[in-house]
Amino acid sequence: MSAEQNKRVVQSFFDAGNRGDMDACFSLIADDIRWISEGNTSLSGTFECKEKLFENLLGPLFGRLKAGIHMDIQRLVAEGDFVVAQMKGTAETHQGKAYNNSYCWIIRLRDGKFVEVTEFSDTELITSVFG
């Protein structure tokens, strides 16, 4: 796929997530995904495969939020199989605490699916909100 096609896949991933269509969103994640959440927080680590990603990162994170995270894309930059997405996320915990983080994801795609993500975010905010 071209860099522009990969950018469209990434855009559609965030569009689906923002409208709450998690089936469409998660269908764009390959079963053999390798997701690296940088830092030393309770949500940091390397998650090998879709099942482990859901069990150990997405499930625990979204389980603490009222309505997921709305992601506003500020920038998408693509080259070959890679797309870099810079975003601002807006969310609220079940306890009413704001969780508004900044993100930079380096995404590698294969055949229209995410196969690797390296995620950078404000780790101090994660710790202050989630412990």
Side-chain angles (χ1 to χ4, degrees), residues 79-105:
E79 181 177 310
D81 294 340
F82 289 90
V83 177
V84 176
Q86 179 185 359
M87 301 150 301
K88 294 276 187 185
T90 306
E92 185 178 355
T93 67
H94 290 292
Q95 293 75 31
K97 193 169 190 177
Y99 176 64
N100 303 324
N101 208 333
S102 297
Y103 299 90
C104 182
W105 291 7

Side-chain angles (χ1 to χ4, degrees), residues 47-121:
F47 309 96
E48 305 274 356
C49 88
K50 199 175 199 176
E51 181 181 334
K52 296 291 183 196
L53 174 65
F54 291 131
E55 280 178 23
N56 299 307
L57 176 62
L58 300 180
L61 173 61
F62 288 112
R64 297 174 184 175
L65 301 174
K66 284 184 180 178
I69 302 173
H70 186 274
M71 299 294 253
D72 288 315
I73 297 173
Q74 297 175 306
R75 188 169 289 110
L76 290 178
V77 179
E79 181 177 310
D81 294 340
F82 289 90
V83 177
V84 176
Q86 179 185 359
M87 301 150 301
K88 294 276 187 185
T90 306
E92 185 178 355
T93 67
H94 290 292
Q95 293 75 31
K97 193 169 190 177
Y99 176 64
N100 303 324
N101 208 333
S102 297
Y103 299 90
C104 182
W105 291 7
I106 302 168
I107 305 157
R108 185 168 61 89
L109 295 105
R110 180 184 66 229
D111 300 324
K113 292 192 177 202
F114 290 35
V115 292
E116 185 174 287
V117 174
T118 302
E119 173 184 17
F120 298 91
S121 60

